[in-house]
Amino acid sequence: MENHNCINCSFKSSAAKTLSKEEFKVIENNSALVFFKKGDIIFKQGALSTNVAYLRTGIVKIHKRGPSREKILRISKSPSYFGIPTTFGNKINQYSATALEDSSVCFIDSNLFQNFIFKNGEFAYKLIVELCENELNDYERYANQSQKQVPGIVAETLICMADKIFNTDRFNFPLTQSELADLVGTSRESISRVLSDFSSNKIIEFNGKEIHILKRDILEQISEKG
DNA sequence: GCATTAACCACAG
DNA sequence: CTGTGGTTAATGC
């Protein structure tokens, strides 16, 4: 287990900021800080879940086995909890989490975590806010994605990544094309075609993993048109 | 009918 | 892992 100091951690969640010195002492002794490499599995669907997972740094994908392929449910960026539903909703993990970039994760004993929720209203409230925001985001994506055509969804996803994850129009795309297909519910081939199409129309530029959004206005139009 | 969209397959860098 | 061509099925003028 990594030596770690929670009270001085510069990656605290907004919920954790409400904890007292004493509570940090307790959390320090009942949590583990683990570093993951890109591609490492953080926890796996089907395994027993005994901890709450907090993404301290990095980016992960949350994914679940479907009837034929893997479905990517969400991309989660630090700082965020990403194992709450699977810890409290069901003893067994209902989904997997895999690091898309080098990441660090705090695993917190779930009994202790539960205790904070009981004892500390502000902590609980902050947590609920985070869970609600995630849920609303998911609803938004589901509503859009089930009705847009492939270019529309891909455009939406690129814009979302630029705005919410990387905060720039030029970034290293964290997913393979096949994973992007699993995220938006289409085929790998369609993704390849749409990206080439965007590229030949000079809407985006990409070589390998690096994506550069050249014409954001057009991309937004495509996203809205569906 | 004819066009469009996208999935599935196959094969090649 | 990605790019492309052929084929097929569904849907919409």
Side-chain angles (χ1 to χ4, degrees):
Chain A
M1 177 164 124
E2 285 289 327
N3 216 3
H4 65 296
N5 174 329
C6 295
I7 193 162
N8 292 321
C9 178
S10 38
F11 304 103
K12 282 198 268 286
S13 67
S14 60
K17 285 177 185 153
T18 71
L19 298 176
S20 68
K21 275 193 183 118
E22 294 69 40
E23 286 171 321
F24 273 115
K25 257 298 172 253
V26 183
I27 223 177
E28 253 169 50
N29 295 323
N30 291 280
S31 67
L33 171 59
V34 184
F35 292 87
F36 292 91
K37 285 283 183 202
K38 182 186 174 77
D40 285 350
I41 297 171
I42 297 169
F43 58 76
K44 201 168 160 59
Q45 179 177 356
L48 219 50
S49 161
T50 52
N51 300 297
V52 170
Y54 172 68
L55 187 60
R56 177 176 167 275
T57 60
I59 301 175
V60 299
K61 66 170 176 180
I62 306 299
H63 51 113
K64 185 176 175 70
R65 183 108 209 103
S68 56
R69 258 177 296 108
E70 201 76 9
K71 168 73 183 172
I72 299 184
L73 301 167
R74 195 214 308 275
I75 308 294
S76 197
K77 177 194 126 153
S78 68
S80 69
Y81 291 97
F82 63 102
I84 306 247
T86 206
T87 302
F88 291 113
N90 193 312
K91 282 193 169 146
I92 294 186
N93 285 331
Q94 298 298 299
Y95 50 81
S96 304
T98 303
L100 293 177
E101 311 267 311
D102 292 356
S103 299
S104 60
V105 176
C106 301
F107 292 99
I108 304 155
D109 180 89
S110 59
N111 288 323
L112 167 75
F113 200 82
Q114 205 175 74
N115 212 31
F116 285 164
I117 295 174
F118 287 146
K119 299 271 172 59
N120 183 332
E122 202 183 343
F123 179 86
Y125 175 75
K126 292 274 173 59
L127 223 50
I128 289 176
V129 170
E130 181 173 332
L131 292 172
C132 290
E133 284 169 357
N134 288 338
E135 193 163 325
L136 290 179
N137 269 330
D138 288 344
Y139 289 168
E140 177 77 18
R141 282 190 307 122
Y142 294 153
N144 288 339
Q145 292 182 353
S146 56
Q147 289 169 27
K148 282 183 185 179
Q149 293 179 347
V150 175
I153 321 169
V154 173
E156 176 182 318
T157 308
L158 292 178
I159 292 169
C160 173
M161 293 233 172
D163 289 353
K164 299 208 175 148
I165 298 188
F166 297 102
N167 304 313
T168 162
D169 280 355
R170 179 173 224 147
F171 54 88
N172 270 326
F173 201 72
L175 301 172
T176 65
Q177 293 192 12
S178 166
E179 286 176 315
L180 178 55
D182 291 338
L183 172 64
V184 303
T186 182
S187 69
R188 183 213 116 226
E189 293 95 325
S190 296
I191 296 289
S192 170
R193 285 179 172 119
V194 168
L195 288 179
S196 317
D197 185 53
F198 285 176
S199 171
S200 57
N201 287 314
K202 304 280 177 232
I203 299 168
I204 64 168
E205 194 174 69
F206 74 108
N207 26 34
K209 298 271 83 176
E210 172 153 312
I211 294 262
H212 188 187
I213 297 179
L214 299 173
K215 292 180 185 150
R216 161 172 285 263
D217 49 336
I218 298 190
L219 211 53
E220 276 163 3
Q221 274 174 35
I222 296 171
S223 169
E224 276 161 36
K225 258 199 341 228

